[in-house]
Amino acid sequence: MARTRAKGGAASTTSASKPPALTKKESRYTLPEEMANPPQLFILPKMASSESRVVTLHNPRWSKPTRYLVCPETGFYEFTRIAAPSSTPRSWLIDGARGVVKKGGEEDATDVLANTSEEFQTHITRDGEIFVATPYDPLFIVLPALASDSGKKRMFLSSDDHIDKLAETSPHLQQILRRGKTRPLIEARMAAVCDTVEAGDESMYRLNEAKLLEELLSKARRLSLPKSMEEKFVCKPLEAPVLMRRCQPQPAPSTTETSTEEGLDTPMTEKTESQASISSVSTSDSATTQASVSTAATTPSTEIPEEELITAAMTASPEVLSLQRLRVAFNFIASSYLPPPLAASLKTSLAAAADSKIDFAPLEEYLSKLTKLKQEVLASRAATDYSRKRGGLDDIEDERAEKRRKKEEEDKRKKAGESRGVKNLKKVNVSGMKKMSDFFKKKT
Amino acid sequence: MLEARLDQAEILKKVVDAIKDLVQDCNFDCNDSGIALQAMDNSHVALVSMNLQADSFAPYRCDRNIALGVNLTSLTKVLRAAQNTDILTLRALDAPDSLNLVFESQDKDRISEYDLKLMDIDQEHLGIPETEYAATIKMPSVEFRRICTDLMALSESVTIEASKDGIKFTCSGDIGNGSVTLRQHTNVENEKENIEIELSEPVALTFSLKYLVNFCKAAGLSNTVTICLSNEVPLLVSYALTSKAGSNLRFYLAPKIGDDE
């Protein structure tokens, strides 16, 4: 179990948070004033030692100071804020009496009152937030320094020189490096993505993008996507449109003209067209199963179970699925931990098949096939939609009327949002008046 | 997340009332310094710019820059539900599709809440440089409105002439012509009635009265109006929104040049 501990607000936990004095007669319901520095809830990893400190470091992705938990023994942790959506506000009730923060053992009531500045009062937090510390690869912290001079040729530099580049944006870094195993840890992570050279008793490092790419890919492989992400980014994009393979008696019915002719003289028009077939695969031999319409009974029926007829046009092979998963995971890492320019350059080098360790070709092939298929389906669906409505005789006219109607509607809506004053101003003679943009320049 | 509480709904009501006859839709740009608005009329000859500094609200909170695209007619409909003295609270998410408005009556026994759907408005922003104007006139806003409406009965446009004699509004139309002259004037008892003229060089410019009358709808916002003129630049008509500096409603209008009718 992870430890829960309330933090912050130690100094400012003053009388402000005391319950309202009962002597106050005029209002029984006055709330205590809000604390300037309210306590917050953290879940800290069990592995982290008591020497751990919260430090402010430069976030490599968003280029702004961000808090991290650094343990001299086990490494870096990042904080993830978990909060209820603002539509359903939540709060924490923190019980001060049994809080871990409590220092003295047995104190009587007067003691507690005297010690309010030390003591943590029972408290309700305004936002039901919780901060969870999860392990973080310090590689990402030093990466901006390693990749900083991408334009020039990169030089072999000692780890100190690399870390010095970060000193300005992450002033805490120098201090935490002096403690425990932090420095060896960072150097080990640097070595994983750098070419190294021994110079005297010091190692010199130079970023190797191929190594970095490999390192990230191995991270991406280990990453197991949560179900919601898996569904949205892996399964959904690979889904093919569903096809109904039930077909009309005559071949190639998907064009409007044929279905119109058909529609005019046979009684089964509505039925066939409402079940508009989308693909004409295996048209000629598979027969209709419309038993209810007697006129169709002339065709020989080779009863195919209905369920089998409705199938997705193509399914992704496990290989394609795993490639897509990998790509999503890689993009996720790149977009949440890497500096944007580096992420972009890595993505392009990943796409370039030559120096990447993995071949995305099957996935690409599948995706291009899929887009083609989707377009086809869209086209045929559009065609069948018109024929369904009015036998497709005047669909061009229909389209025009539709457009006109839409335009009128929009105009009407626009007019409704227009005040009388605006309408009147349209009639004003503006000859001789220059446009505002002639006087004031556009802001960029 | 935006949360802004205005002690008097009156200010927003009047601002929207004043500009809804000039522009149809506009963006309210919210950032940590306050709420601003810039929009042009359909023919792009007039520009309105509003600034409500964060200190006009209590409290004011805006974490990200948010553009609230609003149809002003719709906003008027909602604001009509607010009393002038109501406490108004504006709320919006970081990427909002609606704006939440809450009106509380002063004694807090009535709370009404409205959500207004927002729209995406593509608006270009113009940078307005600080300008040293040749003439700056401060006068009661009611007086300015009266001059404009009086002269509009005669003509479409007015010539404003600032010289050391004072400031002269002239117009001429089919039925005749007319003029109003104002001189520097200090009222000891009621300084709202003061007319102050600062002049560095004489200037004469012609403007469309329809637009000026439109600007004067903001007269209810402030007792005094400041009018600034210079050759070759738009006229500035400015109303203060609160007693603190920085919150104001400004109108710019391009002068009529050439073909005088």
Side-chain angles (χ1 to χ4, degrees):
Chain A
M1 255 302 285
R3 272 184 295 151
T4 309
R5 186 163 72 162
K7 261 198 187 185
S12 61
T13 322
T14 46
S15 54
S17 64
K18 262 196 244 169
L22 286 173
T23 47
K24 247 187 176 180
K25 283 266 163 52
E26 56 272 20
S27 166
R28 281 197 295 156
Y29 299 109
T30 37
L31 289 170
E33 260 178 64
E34 223 176 296
M35 242 189 251
N37 194 0
Q40 290 173 323
L41 284 183
F42 288 84
I43 292 186
L44 302 180
K46 210 167 138 196
M47 305 188 296
S49 63
S50 57
E51 291 295 292
S52 305
R53 292 291 177 271
V54 175
V55 296
T56 304
L57 298 176
H58 190 70
N59 184 323
R61 173 64 180 88
W62 306 107
S63 322
K64 59 179 184 191
T66 308
R67 297 223 160 88
Y68 294 92
L69 179 74
V70 178
C71 165
E73 298 302 317
T74 53
F76 287 64
Y77 301 88
E78 63 178 337
F79 288 115
T80 307
R81 174 174 164 274
I82 298 171
S86 57
S87 51
T88 53
R90 303 275 162 89
S91 296
W92 287 108
L93 172 64
I94 304 168
D95 184 357
R98 271 167 289 165
V100 192
V101 194
K102 192 166 181 175
K103 289 202 177 93
E106 312 83 33
E107 295 152 310
D108 56 351
T110 48
D111 250 14
V112 174
L113 273 180
N115 274 350
T116 36
S117 58
E118 290 278 333
E119 186 55 44
F120 183 76
Q121 299 265 339
T122 300
H123 188 88
I124 297 174
T125 61
R126 183 195 178 87
D127 308 300
E129 305 176 326
I130 191 163
F131 292 88
V132 181
T134 47
Y136 181 80
D137 190 345
L139 168 64
F140 294 123
I141 296 278
V142 286
L143 210 46
L146 293 175
S148 61
D149 35 24
S150 54
K152 300 168 273 173
K153 199 172 174 293
R154 293 202 176 99
M155 312 285 265
F156 279 101
L157 288 174
S158 71
S159 59
D160 276 323
D161 289 335
H162 280 304
I163 289 165
D164 275 349
K165 286 188 212 159
L166 295 170
E168 203 171 303
T169 47
S170 314
H172 288 177
L173 191 62
Q174 294 293 351
Q175 291 167 34
I176 55 167
L177 281 177
R178 280 187 225 122
R179 293 153 47 99
K181 297 180 186 154
T182 313
R183 175 176 280 275
L185 179 73
I186 288 191
E187 281 176 359
R189 294 308 299 150
M190 278 165 71
V193 297
C194 290
D195 297 327
T196 51
V197 163
E198 294 296 325
D201 51 353
E202 244 191 333
S203 298
M204 310 289 261
Y205 301 86
R206 185 180 69 180
L207 182 67
N208 183 337
E209 286 210 5
K211 274 190 177 176
L212 178 60
L213 193 60
E214 205 168 332
E215 183 69 26
L216 291 177
L217 274 175
S218 78
K219 272 186 199 297
R221 279 197 195 95
R222 267 181 284 148
L223 186 75
S224 66
L225 296 171
K227 196 163 174 248
S228 59
M229 267 179 95
E230 170 98 20
E231 248 161 39
K232 191 166 175 197
F233 297 110
V234 178
C235 300
K236 200 82 182 285
L238 296 181
E239 233 166 52
V242 171
L243 291 190
M244 302 251 279
R245 281 225 239 126
R246 176 185 288 175
C247 296
Q248 288 171 325
Q250 88 267 49
S254 53
T255 56
T256 22
E257 271 177 84
T258 48
S259 56
T260 327
E261 282 164 26
E262 155 84 9
L264 288 173
D265 48 34
T266 54
M268 48 178 273
T269 14
E270 289 201 347
K271 203 73 185 249
T272 45
E273 296 198 321
S274 66
Q275 287 162 341
S277 72
I278 283 162
S279 88
S280 49
V281 206
S282 69
T283 338
S284 44
D285 54 343
S286 78
T288 49
T289 49
Q290 285 161 350
S292 59
V293 185
S294 55
T295 43
T298 45
T299 44
S301 60
T302 52
E303 300 284 61
I304 304 166
E306 227 169 283
E307 300 87 69
E308 282 179 27
L309 292 169
I310 303 167
T311 49
M314 51 204 287
T315 44
S317 67
E319 189 196 2
V320 170
L321 261 178
S322 73
L323 279 176
Q324 172 76 3
R325 209 169 286 141
L326 182 64
R327 173 178 285 184
V328 169
F330 182 82
N331 287 350
F332 173 73
I333 292 177
S335 62
S336 40
Y337 291 106
L338 297 183
L342 187 63
S345 85
L346 282 178
K347 271 183 200 168
T348 47
S349 63
L350 182 69
D355 60 327
S356 73
K357 308 288 172 281
I358 187 147
D359 194 9
F360 280 108
L363 178 62
E364 290 298 342
E365 201 180 306
Y366 178 86
L367 283 176
S368 67
K369 245 161 78 187
L370 190 63
T371 38
K372 229 165 100 193
L373 190 75
K374 273 185 182 158
Q375 277 165 356
E376 271 170 27
V377 169
L378 211 66
S380 63
R381 192 170 290 164
T384 47
D385 267 355
Y386 282 119
S387 62
R388 198 181 299 173
K389 199 191 285 166
R390 210 173 286 175
L393 270 178
D394 45 5
D395 54 342
I396 300 171
E397 215 170 280
D398 206 35
E399 204 173 331
R400 254 187 235 144
E402 176 92 350
K403 248 186 205 161
R404 207 181 314 131
R405 206 166 46 83
K406 259 193 194 150
K407 201 168 171 243
E408 269 167 23
E409 229 165 59
E410 196 161 292
D411 281 357
K412 217 171 159 190
R413 209 157 37 90
K414 238 185 180 171
K415 281 230 174 84
E418 198 173 66
S419 64
R420 196 158 47 88
V422 171
K423 245 176 268 166
N424 286 344
L425 274 191
K426 277 190 182 162
K427 295 178 204 145
V428 176
N429 174 14
V430 291
S431 63
M433 290 162 85
K434 281 193 192 166
K435 298 240 156 126
M436 275 293 138
S437 46
D438 292 344
F439 299 106
F440 303 133
K441 292 285 156 283
K442 263 183 211 163
K443 243 188 226 171
T444 43
Chain B
M1 168 98 187
L2 164 81
E3 186 168 341
R5 188 167 173 278
L6 201 58
D7 267 341
Q8 303 272 317
E10 190 181 9
I11 296 180
L12 190 66
K13 271 180 77 123
K14 286 188 173 164
V15 166
V16 173
D17 255 355
I19 58 180
K20 73 159 201 298
D21 286 342
L22 195 64
V23 289
Q24 194 174 324
D25 313 306
C26 67
N27 277 330
F28 284 81
D29 298 308
C30 311
N31 56 31
D32 52 2
S33 63
I35 299 180
L37 169 158
Q38 192 191 81
M40 280 185 275
D41 73 310
N42 277 322
S43 6
H44 285 211
V45 296
L47 184 144
V48 55
S49 140
M50 182 211 69
N51 260 306
L52 257 176
Q53 304 279 22
D55 60 11
S56 331
F57 301 93
Y60 182 83
R61 174 186 165 198
C62 181
D63 309 332
R64 295 244 173 97
N65 292 4
I66 306 174
L68 303 168
V70 170
N71 176 285
L72 288 172
T73 320
S74 318
L75 183 58
T76 317
K77 286 177 185 161
V78 172
L79 287 175
R80 219 169 267 159
Q83 299 285 314
N84 276 348
T85 52
D86 279 358
I87 299 165
L88 177 146
T89 311
L90 300 172
R91 275 198 202 97
L93 297 176
D94 278 342
D97 45 20
S98 68
L99 170 68
N100 177 265
L101 300 109
V102 178
F103 313 133
E104 282 169 75
S105 63
Q106 282 291 8
D107 35 8
K108 304 254 173 96
D109 50 7
R110 182 181 197 273
I111 295 172
S112 38
E113 186 170 352
Y114 295 85
D115 281 313
L116 183 67
K117 284 185 197 157
L118 297 177
M119 47 209 278
D120 282 323
I121 301 169
D122 201 19
Q123 253 175 353
E124 53 190 34
H125 264 264
L126 300 180
I128 301 171
E130 281 293 311
T131 314
E132 286 285 323
Y133 287 96
T136 304
I137 304 128
K138 221 171 156 186
M139 66 161 100
S141 51
V142 185
E143 177 66 45
F144 182 55
R145 183 173 64 190
R146 184 175 162 205
I147 293 170
C148 291
T149 43
D150 285 355
L151 295 183
M152 194 159 85
L154 294 183
S155 166
E156 264 195 355
S157 52
V158 61
T159 303
I160 305 180
E161 211 178 324
S163 64
K164 57 180 188 299
D165 296 333
I167 170 148
K168 189 174 179 191
F169 300 81
T170 9
C171 76
S172 69
D174 295 340
I175 59 163
N177 55 47
S179 79
V180 179
T181 309
L182 298 177
R183 294 217 169 76
Q184 178 111 0
H185 164 83
T186 318
N187 189 325
V188 189
E189 280 168 26
N190 190 356
E191 59 176 44
K192 285 174 197 156
E193 299 291 312
N194 283 359
I195 297 174
E196 293 166 27
I197 302 173
E198 276 171 43
L199 190 73
S200 58
E201 58 177 300
V203 51
L205 288 165
T206 307
F207 300 99
S208 159
L209 269 170
K210 278 248 174 67
Y211 276 91
L212 289 182
V213 168
N214 219 317
F215 296 169
C216 287
K217 289 187 176 141
L221 278 165
S222 167
N223 288 321
T224 53
V225 58
T226 311
I227 301 161
C228 304
L229 295 148
S230 257
N231 279 319
E232 311 281 307
V233 299
L235 162 88
L236 164 62
V237 180
S238 168
Y239 296 88
L241 291 183
T242 57
S243 50
K244 288 168 193 147
S247 295
N248 51 32
L249 179 64
R250 295 180 157 191
F251 297 96
Y252 294 87
L253 178 62
K256 283 196 166 199
I257 299 167
D259 56 85
D260 270 337
E261 287 137 282

